[in-house]
Amino acid sequence: MSTSEDITVGGLLVTEYERVKEEQQARIGFRDNLLYATLASMAAVIAAVLQRDGHAELLLLLPPVSVLLGWTYLVNDEKISAIGRYVRDELTPRLTALAGGQSGGQIFGWEVAHRSDRRRRSRKCLQLAVDLLTFCGASLAAVIVFWAAGTCPAMLIVVSVIEVAGIAVLAMQLVVYADLGHDARRTGA
């Protein structure tokens, strides 16, 4: 067989599908582990505060860690959604056209089907609440406890205000990328 017989457009598209789905799966695992890493970081900071007889300034370690992990979570989540959109909007139509409509149904139907259940919006809203609580709420609470602890050096007040700004930016981005829309063809996974 010649090389031109071995390589087909359909074969290349299926191979591309397999590769992007592998990347999506790896990103899902990494993203989900970021939640555990954030919870472990919170526990470590709280343990440090308690071991040092309530040195509230140590709570200021939590916001930068949570914002960094939250941003990494957000970036991976967006890439996971982008892969889903790419499969739905690019690969599926191209493979369907190559199959000449003889596929007996939609190619990669799960890419659309899992997005069309009636509870998707409520599930996405709950996920947004969990993300906001995990990455932003706990960090904001740490800053508030630091402020409420009493005398705070001016430099640490400045640091804490900068941290609150970072938390606000992350919260805003989590909301923007929450994908709360109804249109399964237009929005990400």
Side-chain angles (χ1 to χ4, degrees):
M1 280 210 260
S2 72
T3 305
S4 64
E5 292 174 20
D6 292 342
I7 298 174
T8 65
V9 173
L12 289 172
L13 291 174
V14 169
T15 299
E16 182 179 12
Y17 170 78
E18 291 168 351
R19 295 304 176 265
V20 296
K21 290 305 283 185
E22 287 172 9
E23 178 182 347
Q24 188 181 48
Q25 183 178 10
R27 285 184 179 274
I28 288 169
F30 181 71
R31 176 201 62 192
D32 292 350
N33 284 329
L34 287 169
L35 287 170
Y36 302 121
T38 302
L39 294 174
S41 298
M42 287 178 195
V45 168
I46 292 168
V49 170
L50 294 174
Q51 287 177 354
R52 304 224 190 251
D53 294 324
H55 282 271
E57 66 274 3
L58 293 175
L59 289 171
L60 294 182
L61 295 172
L62 187 56
V65 171
S66 292
V67 168
L68 176 66
L69 292 172
W71 184 256
T72 306
Y73 175 93
L74 177 65
V75 168
N76 274 280
D77 192 57
E78 194 284 323
K79 294 301 179 209
I80 291 163
S81 295
I83 289 169
R85 279 190 307 275
Y86 179 74
V87 168
R88 284 188 308 278
D89 298 343
E90 299 294 327
L91 289 180
T92 298
R94 290 167 60 194
L95 276 169
T96 301
L98 283 174
Q102 301 171 9
S103 65
Q106 181 169 347
I107 296 173
F108 309 135
W110 176 248
E111 298 292 336
V112 172
H114 80 280
R115 298 178 50 79
S116 62
D117 71 276
R118 294 178 299 128
R119 293 181 297 262
R120 180 178 186 279
R121 183 165 170 81
S122 64
R123 194 175 59 248
K124 294 298 278 186
C125 287
L126 288 171
Q127 184 62 53
L128 174 60
V130 167
D131 294 346
L132 287 170
L133 182 62
T134 302
F135 297 112
C136 301
S139 295
L140 188 57
V143 172
I144 290 169
V145 169
F146 166 73
W147 287 340
T151 58
C152 305
M155 184 59 160
L156 291 182
I157 293 292
V158 170
V159 167
S160 67
V161 169
I162 292 169
E163 289 179 344
V164 168
I167 293 166
V169 168
L170 177 60
M172 189 173 50
Q173 292 302 302
L174 286 168
V175 171
V176 166
Y177 285 99
D179 187 22
L180 300 176
H182 293 288
D183 185 0
R185 294 294 303 166
R186 190 174 48 94
T187 57

